[in-house]
């Protein structure tokens, strides 16, 4: 089985580390559970391939959302109650607007190195989520291997039952053939699915 893809961006620093960035039309994130369920493979697979191609240390893998975000900033401030209430206009300074915009458009993903200076020197450009430093890229590769092996075995033995998870049908090219109308499948890790079989 050959899988093809294009890495949107691959950054190399000082010829010793590599990171990948995937541009998306909407916000995306990586979670441990999504990885173990096999529903979040693209970005970390790209980093694995980048590591193999460059023989450099994986520094991080991130999504960048190209979606134009709406900024909510207070326009007025109210003090007091009833007839004594006073309303004053708040002037949103350009600096505040830029800061809020920057927060919305940070890279989202996992970092695999402690050398954050090269990746994000002022810590304003990467949203590390719950994984500021994921413990071990080798363990991520083991999970990826397990997931891909599971999918390979199932597809090669003809086990392609229709069990879509929430949102899976949105991008499916075969909806007109499948016409699935059952309940959405509750996502499980590959390890749990192996136990069920």
């Amino acid at each position: 089985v050959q899988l093809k893809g294009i890495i949107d961006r691959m950054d190399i620093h000082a010829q010793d580390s590599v990171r990948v960035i995937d541009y998306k039309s909407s916000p995306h994130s990586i979670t441990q559970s999504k990885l173990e369920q096999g529903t979040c493979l693209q970005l970390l697979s790209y980093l694995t391939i980048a590591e193999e191609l460059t023989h450099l240390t994986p520094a991080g893998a991130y999504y960048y959302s190209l979606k134009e975000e709406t900024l909510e900033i207070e326009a007025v401030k109210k003090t007091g109650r009833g007839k004594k209430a006073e309303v004053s206009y708040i002037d949103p300074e350009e600096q505040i607007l830029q800061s809020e915009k920057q927060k919305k458009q940070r890279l989202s993903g996992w970092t695999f190195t402690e050398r954050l200076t090269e990746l994000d020197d002022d810590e304003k450009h990467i949203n590390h989520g719950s994984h500021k430093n994921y413990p071990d890229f080798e363990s991520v590769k083991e999970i990826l291997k397990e997931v891909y092996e599971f999918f390979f075995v199932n597809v090669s033995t003809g086990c392609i039952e229709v069990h879509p998870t929430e949102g899976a049908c949105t991008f499916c090219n075969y909806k007109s053939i499948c016409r699935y109308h059952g309940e959405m499948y509750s996502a499980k890790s590959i390890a749990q699915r192996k136990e069920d079989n």
Side-chain angles (χ1 to χ4, degrees):
V1 174
Q2 287 189 338
L3 300 175
K4 294 184 179 180
I6 297 172
I7 299 173
D8 290 338
R9 177 173 165 175
M10 189 165 64
D11 296 333
I12 293 173
H13 178 75
Q15 298 302 315
D16 69 356
S17 64
V18 61
R19 77 171 174 186
V20 296
I21 296 175
D22 194 37
Y23 296 105
K24 294 292 186 188
S25 58
S26 61
H28 280 64
S29 63
I30 308 170
T31 66
Q32 178 83 18
S33 58
K34 284 182 187 176
L35 176 62
E36 291 173 353
Q37 292 162 5
T39 59
C40 182
L41 302 175
Q42 181 186 22
L43 187 61
L44 295 169
S45 295
Y46 283 168
L47 186 59
T48 302
I49 292 163
E51 179 194 33
E52 289 176 11
L53 292 174
T54 64
H55 305 289
L56 300 177
T57 302
Y62 308 101
Y63 293 114
Y64 182 78
S65 173
L66 298 171
K67 182 180 178 185
E68 190 65 39
E69 294 287 349
T70 303
L71 298 178
E72 293 183 19
I73 296 176
E74 291 182 18
V76 293
K77 184 177 181 180
K78 183 179 176 183
T79 55
R81 290 184 172 180
K83 294 180 182 179
K84 294 182 179 181
E86 291 183 18
V87 176
S88 58
Y89 172 71
I90 299 173
D91 182 19
E93 295 177 28
E94 186 63 25
Q95 201 171 25
I96 295 171
L97 287 172
Q98 287 302 323
S99 173
E100 289 302 311
K101 186 175 180 182
Q102 192 175 51
K103 283 180 189 173
K104 293 260 187 182
Q105 294 189 309
R106 290 183 294 178
L107 297 173
S108 171
W110 284 356
T111 301
F112 298 98
T113 180
E114 292 180 8
R115 293 170 52 187
L116 296 180
T117 303
E118 291 94 336
L119 292 172
D120 188 17
D121 62 343
D122 58 6
E123 297 191 8
K124 292 181 180 176
H125 299 90
I126 297 175
N127 178 9
H128 299 282
S130 60
H131 287 281
K132 189 162 187 178
N133 288 300
Y134 194 79
D136 182 22
F137 186 64
E138 291 303 314
S139 63
V140 168
K141 290 199 302 188
E142 284 301 315
I143 294 169
L144 286 171
K145 183 180 177 201
E146 181 182 23
V147 169
Y148 281 122
E149 283 177 352
F150 177 81
F151 289 150
F152 174 78
V153 167
N154 278 270
V155 171
S156 62
T157 57
C159 182
I160 52 173
E161 58 193 342
V162 181
H163 269 287
T165 57
E166 191 68 42
C169 298
T170 308
F171 302 103
C172 182
N173 294 325
Y174 303 99
K175 284 194 287 188
S176 59
I177 299 169
C178 171
R179 298 183 183 186
Y180 183 75
H181 295 292
E183 288 186 31
M184 289 293 154
Y185 176 70
S186 178
K188 296 179 180 178
S189 71
I190 297 303
Q192 289 173 320
R193 290 172 70 178
K194 282 181 177 177
E195 286 176 13
D196 291 348
N197 293 341

